[in-house]
Amino acid sequence: MRRVIAIALAGASLGGCSSMSSMSWDTFKSAPPTVQVRLESNPPGADASTSLGPGCKTPCSVSVPAPDAPFTVAYALPKYQPASVPVNVIKNPGDFTTPASVTTDPNPVFAELQPAAPPKPVRKPHRPKKPKPATTAAAPAEAAPVAGSPFPDPNAGKR
């Protein structure tokens, strides 16, 4: 009976080894660290997006994978000039008493949006007036009054 139990245990342990060999070593790797970044703007309600991808409408927070290099946050709001804020990544390796950590500077990332200048009115280009063509015939001495005109003829009594 002991022999049967020993064989069963050995078979079960070998079965566990075979499943272990089919596992990937990626299973034991930890996921890349992420950083929580707070995004704010004045006025609030701007669309903020990081150069790493995630974005939101301010005020808000996004979780970004900890990059190896600085990144930027772009802000856009209708009737305001767009703004871009650089963000530095600070990695603390940690030691025996503290774990490794990743932070950003600044956090929160803040942008003061400036109002966009109103568009300049579109003016038509100034065109010089064309000179009237000179008439070759002499101008009539007196023009005949228009019949039915409400204005009296100023030359009527001078003849």
Side-chain angles (χ1 to χ4, degrees), residues 71-125:
F71 62 96
T72 58
V73 178
Y75 292 86
L77 184 64
K79 298 183 182 178
Y80 287 86
Q81 294 177 356
S84 183
V85 178
V87 180
N88 292 314
V89 178
I90 303 166
K91 292 188 176 187
N92 298 319
D95 56 21
F96 292 115
T97 59
T98 58
S101 65
V102 179
T103 58
T104 60
D105 181 41
N107 195 2
V109 182
F110 180 81
E112 181 78 34
L113 301 176
Q114 300 299 320
K120 293 182 179 179
V122 179
R123 296 183 133 198
K124 293 182 180 178

